[in-house]
Amino acid sequence: MSFHGSTARLSEARRVAIFGGTHGNEMSGVALVNLWIKNSDDIQRRGVDIKPFIANPKAVEKCVRYVETDLNRAFTPENLSASGGDEFPYEVRRAQEINRMFGPKGSPEAYDVIFDLHNTTSNMGCTLILESSKDHFNLQMMNYIKKAISPASCLVLLNEHPLLKYSTCRSVAKHAVGLEVGPQPQGVLRSNIFEAMRVILKHALDFIELFNEGMEFPPCTVEVFRVNERIDYPRDANRNIIAMVHPNLQDCDWEPLNPGDPMFQTFDGKTIPYQGSCTVYPTFINEAAYYEKQQAFVTTRRETLAASSIRKA
Amino acid sequence: MSFHGSTARLSEARRVAIFGGTHGNEMSGVALVNLWIKNSDDIQRRGVDIKPFIANPKAVEKCVRYVETDLNRAFTPENLSASGGDEFPYEVRRAQEINRMFGPKGSPEAYDVIFDLHNTTSNMGCTLILESSKDHFNLQMMNYIKKAISPASCLVLLNEHPLLKYSTCRSVAKHAVGLEVGPQPQGVLRSNIFEAMRVILKHALDFIELFNEGMEFPPCTVEVFRVNERIDYPRDANRNIIAMVHPNLQDCDWEPLNPGDPMFQTFDGKTIPYQGSCTVYPTFINEAAYYEKQQAFVTTRRETLAASSIRKA
Ligand SMILES: [Zn+2]
Ligand SMILES: [Zn+2]
């Protein structure tokens, strides 16, 4: 990246991948990627090589999130630099393979953009997930997509938290974009979620084509929700869950949660209020896959990021 | 059963079981049964022995539907009469065990009533499932529950189909009652679904207590939806699914589906209409667990059953 005046000059995005089935029971991405592998008309763009790719085929075959360990947590420096083979869990070996195909992570040879398609059981609507507040290419893409799909909306979740950030598949690319659409149960394919995901991808690829063709994108601001804190379910002394997400909070992803608001309801009917010191915006509320991660929801803070003007170098 | 005038005289229901976790990832039943095992205040009724019971503990532990084979299809005469041990799948051995504890199926020693608690990803609301149109005790119970929860509603699904009926856990009892509440994703516990299930069980147990105390229940009619036909997803020559439940049908469980109405939408956007010859009432629409059973939904016909007056013998 270099600047000419206030405009950031960035390399073209020539190599783009679309991952589905990073979690094998999140069906929209699996169906879309399989569709595009058979017929790529939808995702062809001038001057861009776009590769649809099933990230965890064994998990897709079994219709489970993962076979041995969560692939979307496996792209750590330790895993990617380890040598050896069969003694590693399947997903660690798959992460190494993906890193060889689309990376190496952090290198100039890495893919320019990876979109990773996920579903959630939470009522999150269309959510784009970024890992850096300083990636002006991605921020401009977010701005472009938000404008293109208006009056429908999509929100941006920024996971830049020093402890809660995790080592995603898409982090192999120079620009990592997660797309999380819900609510959709695991193992279920809903036409409305499929369609919402398809439309967002369309606009994202349009943006890349326009950028590669030399369009300048003027400075803009992007509203994001920054990951703040992970909230676990209330538990007894044996670590068993003793409460559910409160009906007032269930399905209210992205809505303000204020100190004192109902947060959980115990099995015997007592309300547990939110005890934080300020308003937060919960998301991933009651996501099926996060019970095992001891997470009932994650709190976020609303923030406005500035993106500089960008143009192809 | 004997008749005095037009009143059927039936035995008391002294032994009642409540099964949760027949499918290990259907969380409302698991949570309620675990709660009642710890504290049975909610389910105590005069003169009734009520046993809350986790039917498939291994599947619950792994939060999967089943470990080796579907427990709720395993109560066949062949399985229950087979002798031998470790060579059978876990769920077949468990079925034999459950049959010894709560049966034997079809014998005078069997439990009087088994309630089996299930969740579905379909938008079915509260559904009670019966296996016989001739069980006046159960029909009277349905009538009682429907009146008790009004203006909330619960529907009755009658699975008496010669081919589509399957060998459920609850079929071990003299009176088998399934309770299916949704929509709830697998592996997720929603407070509204938990509460709906708790309330229906409360009324069901109240009915049993009143019956045992000698109350006479006058003749009544019960509207049921009789299982008619299983509809699979459209597939290509390789048996891969090529379409989704149409957005006009998704979430419309129990609503009339007329010949010509949209039924599926292919991945490339074409509508496939319902081609049947008369109006049906679909249910279990887009249930996650039924992809493997080649079932997109089941059609039903509406029917009104007459229940005779009943009273304790
Ligand atoms: Zn995912
Ligand atoms: Zn079930």
Side-chain angles (χ1 to χ4, degrees):
Chain A
M1 180 164 98
S2 68
F3 278 89
H4 286 227
S6 62
T7 298
R9 294 301 187 105
L10 308 175
S11 318
E12 294 181 292
R14 286 286 169 210
R15 292 193 306 160
V16 173
I18 305 170
F19 286 3
T22 294
H23 295 132
N25 55 10
E26 299 177 3
M27 304 308 285
S28 310
V30 173
L32 280 168
V33 164
N34 278 332
L35 181 66
W36 292 330
I37 287 171
K38 272 192 285 189
N39 178 349
S40 63
D41 290 355
D42 252 14
I43 56 167
Q44 300 277 2
R45 294 297 184 280
R46 273 187 303 273
V48 195
D49 177 36
I50 299 177
K51 188 173 176 56
F53 182 76
I54 295 289
N56 193 336
K58 272 203 189 179
V60 169
E61 195 193 320
K62 297 185 173 188
C63 197
V64 294
R65 184 175 173 89
Y66 55 80
V67 178
E68 294 189 78
T69 186
D70 194 334
L71 180 63
N72 211 31
R73 305 292 183 276
F75 288 73
T76 60
E78 303 72 46
N79 282 344
L80 298 184
S81 64
S83 56
D86 285 358
E87 73 276 22
F88 290 108
Y90 166 71
E91 277 86 1
V92 171
R93 287 177 281 133
R94 183 67 175 161
Q96 294 169 347
E97 195 179 345
I98 289 172
N99 189 48
R100 282 192 299 273
M101 294 175 71
F102 297 94
K105 180 171 172 172
S107 77
E109 293 76 42
Y111 261 56
D112 296 301
V113 184
I114 295 176
F115 295 102
D116 196 9
L117 309 185
H118 292 260
N119 294 121
T120 173
T121 64
S122 307
N123 187 27
M124 288 171 68
C126 291
T127 302
L128 290 147
I129 308 183
L130 300 186
E131 307 191 352
S132 161
S133 59
K134 294 178 185 66
D135 183 331
H136 295 267
F137 178 85
N138 271 353
L139 290 174
Q140 286 284 359
M141 189 199 296
M142 300 301 107
N143 183 54
Y144 180 90
I145 295 171
K146 277 168 163 282
K147 292 212 154 102
I149 69 163
S150 170
S153 83
C154 79
L155 300 175
V156 178
L157 178 64
L158 174 63
N159 190 353
E160 215 178 23
H161 192 283
L163 300 173
L164 300 181
K165 186 170 176 171
Y166 44 84
S167 306
T168 60
C169 290
R170 57 191 179 268
S171 68
V172 163
K174 295 184 182 108
H175 307 285
V177 181
L179 177 52
E180 187 79 65
V181 188
Q184 181 171 269
Q186 297 175 344
V188 166
L189 185 60
R190 289 178 63 98
S191 53
N192 61 329
I193 304 288
F194 176 93
E195 182 59 18
M197 193 173 258
R198 202 185 61 74
V199 168
I200 287 190
L201 246 288
K202 173 202 155 7
H203 294 309
L205 298 178
D206 288 349
F207 168 84
I208 292 173
E209 184 176 54
L210 291 170
F211 176 80
N212 283 353
E213 284 175 346
M215 183 183 278
E216 178 164 331
F217 295 84
C220 68
T221 57
V222 181
E223 180 186 73
V224 303
F225 291 81
R226 185 188 284 271
V227 167
N228 181 51
E229 195 184 1
R230 178 185 290 168
I231 307 287
D232 189 13
Y233 293 92
R235 292 172 190 270
D236 66 16
N238 300 320
R239 305 285 303 140
N240 293 314
I241 289 175
I242 57 167
M244 303 168 279
V245 170
H246 193 278
N248 290 17
L249 178 58
Q250 176 70 49
D251 301 328
C252 296
D253 299 73
W254 308 118
E255 291 178 26
L257 180 70
N258 301 302
D261 283 351
M263 180 169 59
F264 294 109
Q265 187 170 59
T266 64
F267 293 142
D268 50 1
K270 292 186 198 66
T271 293
I272 299 177
Y274 175 60
Q275 307 258 17
S277 56
C278 65
T279 299
V280 291
Y281 298 84
T283 194
F284 278 116
I285 297 171
N286 209 352
E287 157 59 38
Y290 290 172
Y291 280 77
E292 69 173 26
K293 300 190 198 295
Q294 282 85 54
Q295 182 182 307
F297 60 92
V298 62
T299 68
T300 70
R301 302 279 181 84
R302 220 156 68 175
E303 207 173 289
T304 301
L305 298 179
S308 65
S309 166
I310 66 166
R311 201 176 158 179
K312 187 173 76 161
Chain B
M1 179 165 99
S2 67
F3 278 88
H4 287 227
S6 63
T7 298
R9 293 301 187 102
L10 309 175
S11 319
E12 294 181 292
R14 287 285 170 212
R15 292 192 306 160
V16 172
I18 305 170
F19 287 2
T22 294
H23 296 132
N25 54 11
E26 299 177 1
M27 304 309 286
S28 310
V30 173
L32 280 169
V33 165
N34 278 331
L35 181 68
W36 291 329
I37 287 172
K38 271 192 285 187
N39 179 348
S40 63
D41 290 355
D42 253 11
I43 55 166
Q44 301 276 3
R45 294 295 185 280
R46 272 187 303 273
V48 195
D49 176 35
I50 299 178
K51 188 171 175 58
F53 182 75
I54 295 290
N56 194 335
K58 272 202 188 180
V60 169
E61 194 193 320
K62 297 184 172 190
C63 196
V64 294
R65 183 174 174 89
Y66 56 78
V67 177
E68 295 187 77
T69 187
D70 194 333
L71 179 64
N72 210 32
R73 304 292 183 277
F75 288 73
T76 59
E78 302 73 44
N79 281 344
L80 297 184
S81 64
S83 56
D86 284 358
E87 74 276 20
F88 289 110
Y90 166 70
E91 278 86 0
V92 172
R93 286 178 280 132
R94 184 65 174 163
Q96 295 169 345
E97 196 179 344
I98 289 172
N99 189 47
R100 282 193 298 272
M101 293 175 72
F102 298 95
K105 181 171 171 172
S107 77
E109 293 76 43
Y111 261 56
D112 296 301
V113 184
I114 295 177
F115 295 102
D116 196 10
L117 308 185
H118 291 260
N119 295 120
T120 172
T121 63
S122 307
N123 188 27
M124 288 171 68
C126 291
T127 301
L128 289 148
I129 309 183
L130 299 187
E131 307 191 353
S132 161
S133 59
K134 295 177 185 66
D135 183 331
H136 296 267
F137 178 85
N138 272 353
L139 290 174
Q140 286 284 0
M141 190 198 298
M142 299 301 107
N143 183 54
Y144 180 89
I145 295 171
K146 277 167 163 282
K147 293 215 154 101
I149 70 162
S150 170
S153 82
C154 80
L155 299 176
V156 178
L157 178 65
L158 175 63
N159 190 353
E160 215 178 20
H161 191 285
L163 300 172
L164 299 181
K165 185 171 179 171
Y166 44 83
S167 306
T168 59
C169 289
R170 56 190 177 267
S171 67
V172 164
K174 296 184 181 108
H175 306 286
V177 181
L179 178 52
E180 187 78 66
V181 189
Q184 181 171 270
Q186 297 175 342
V188 165
L189 185 59
R190 288 179 63 98
S191 54
N192 60 328
I193 304 289
F194 176 93
E195 182 59 18
M197 193 173 260
R198 201 183 61 73
V199 168
I200 287 189
L201 247 289
K202 172 203 155 6
H203 295 308
L205 299 178
D206 288 350
F207 168 84
I208 292 173
E209 184 176 53
L210 292 170
F211 176 81
N212 283 353
E213 285 176 346
M215 181 181 279
E216 178 164 331
F217 295 85
C220 67
T221 58
V222 181
E223 180 186 73
V224 303
F225 291 82
R226 186 187 283 269
V227 168
N228 181 51
E229 195 185 1
R230 178 186 289 168
I231 308 287
D232 190 13
Y233 293 92
R235 294 171 189 270
D236 66 15
N238 300 319
R239 305 285 305 141
N240 293 314
I241 289 175
I242 57 166
M244 303 169 280
V245 170
H246 193 279
N248 290 17
L249 179 58
Q250 177 70 49
D251 302 328
C252 295
D253 299 72
W254 309 117
E255 292 177 25
L257 180 70
N258 301 302
D261 284 351
M263 179 169 59
F264 294 109
Q265 188 170 58
T266 65
F267 293 144
D268 50 1
K270 292 187 199 66
T271 293
I272 299 177
Y274 175 60
Q275 307 257 18
S277 56
C278 64
T279 299
V280 291
Y281 297 84
T283 194
F284 277 116
I285 298 172
N286 209 351
E287 157 58 37
Y290 290 171
Y291 280 78
E292 70 173 25
K293 300 192 198 292
Q294 280 85 53
Q295 181 181 308
F297 59 93
V298 62
T299 67
T300 70
R301 301 278 181 85
R302 221 157 64 174
E303 208 173 287
T304 300
L305 298 180
S308 64
S309 165
I310 67 166
R311 198 175 160 180
K312 189 172 73 162

